[in-house]
Every structure is written in C-alpha cells, then in structure tokens.
Amino acid sequence: MARLLVVMGVSGCGKTTIGERLAQRLNFDFEDADTFHSAENRAKMAVGVPLSDEDRLPWLLSLHRMLRSRCHSGVVLACSALKRRYRQLLRGGEPGDSEAELDILFVHLKGSFEVIASRLASRHEHFMPSSLLRSQFDTLEEPTADENCLSVDVGQETEVILDIIANYARQ
C-alpha cells in the first residue's frame, strides 16, 4: 500500500477536498502544501504574480522533509507539483542528497481549463486569484508513466474519484 500520496494539479482541481477525504478514508494524516509557503510567496500570489522556480525551491524542499518524516505513518499531501522537476524534488530532495528517493504515488486531478475556471469562480477565500489559472495550465507538465502517477478526471463525482484513488493506493 502506498504510504505517501501527493494529490496534484492546478489550482481549483480539488486537491484539498479530495486530499482531506482520501486521508480520512486511508487513515492517514493530511497536509496542504499551501500552508508551507512563505509569507513572501503568498503575497506574490495574492497580487497575481506567478512564483518562479527560485521562489518554489525552499518550499518544495520543506515539503520533501515533511514527507520523509512521515513515510512510515502515511500522509496525503495536496500540492500543485506542476512540473516534473518539482515532483523530482518532492521525491529526492536536493540534488546530491544521499538518502534514497521517497516512494510517492502522485495523483493527478485532471480537468479542462473551462471546468477548473468555473470552480475557481465560486471560490472566495483563497490567496491565489483565478487570474493565475492560465499560467498554471501553461506551466503544467503532465506526469508520465515513469513517475508513479494515477490521473483521475475531476468531472466525476467525488465519491467515484475517492474510490478510484483508494483502490489504486491499496494495491
């Protein structure tokens, strides 16, 4: 059974909703990567400035350390993880890190721009404005078969999505 799951995708795809409920179902802890962002990163995003790779590096490394510390107890992390390089950092930490890579199941919540945009339009209490959605889709590098990833269409009912992921994770 997978012990480390990263529910990933663009803002508004349902990472937190699915991640929280999946963690309950699997009896794992839940963490939201957004809570690990620095105040500076949050301020940039709040005014519509996309984060650079340099902005993201300390954030991704702190997430890697958290995942490593929880690899035996099990955790579901909601995290955009939009680029392959970001997912590599989550698995392996900094280049040259002597510890073994983490065995992470990435769960890509996938939906069209139109579906996700309509979801974001109804969200009011989030620090990331919907104006950054296009940049997220432009940045997204969809996971490939060699990344231990399950892609799930977000157009399905929440319970169906949870069943698909939980059944896959239990294999």
Side-chain angles (χ1 to χ4, degrees):
M1 176 183 209
R3 306 295 297 169
L4 299 175
L5 289 88
V6 174
V7 179
M8 60 159 290
V10 297
S11 184
C13 71
K15 294 182 296 288
T16 301
T17 300
I18 296 297
E20 286 175 337
R21 295 198 42 202
L22 182 63
Q24 289 172 349
R25 192 177 278 203
L26 297 174
N27 200 30
F28 286 178
D29 292 335
F30 173 77
E31 295 288 348
D32 190 326
D34 287 344
T35 64
F36 288 75
H37 272 298
S38 67
E40 295 81 16
N41 283 1
R42 285 177 187 250
K44 279 184 175 183
M45 289 185 286
V47 296
V49 176
L51 298 179
S52 68
D53 286 355
E54 185 178 295
D55 293 328
R56 291 177 194 274
L57 181 61
W59 172 68
L60 290 163
L61 292 175
S62 70
L63 292 172
H64 167 78
R65 288 188 295 274
M66 180 277 296
L67 288 166
R68 182 166 298 287
S69 74
R70 309 278 266 296
C71 65
H72 299 294
S73 59
V75 66
V76 175
L77 172 66
C79 178
S80 55
L82 297 176
K83 290 185 177 182
R84 181 180 181 93
R85 171 90 176 110
Y86 302 164
R87 296 185 292 274
Q88 289 171 332
L89 286 166
L90 290 172
R91 267 195 310 273
E94 290 192 73
D97 191 339
S98 61
E99 295 192 66
E101 283 194 352
L102 298 173
D103 184 15
I104 298 172
L105 171 60
F106 290 95
V107 178
H108 179 206
L109 298 180
K110 189 173 181 176
S112 70
F113 180 85
E114 293 74 24
V115 167
I116 304 298
S118 70
R119 289 179 172 200
L120 278 179
S122 65
R123 257 185 15 185
H124 303 293
E125 295 186 22
H126 195 269
F127 63 86
M128 190 172 132
S130 59
S131 61
L132 287 180
L133 182 60
R134 176 49 63 199
S135 75
Q136 289 219 326
F137 268 90
D138 292 344
T139 300
L140 177 63
E141 296 171 3
E142 292 198 19
T144 56
D146 66 327
E147 292 186 81
N148 192 24
C149 181
L150 171 67
S151 288
V152 182
D153 179 5
V154 299
Q156 304 172 86
E157 294 295 321
T158 301
E159 287 303 315
V160 171
I161 293 170
L162 290 166
D163 287 344
I164 291 168
I165 300 167
N167 290 336
Y168 190 90
R170 288 184 178 122
Q171 294 178 1

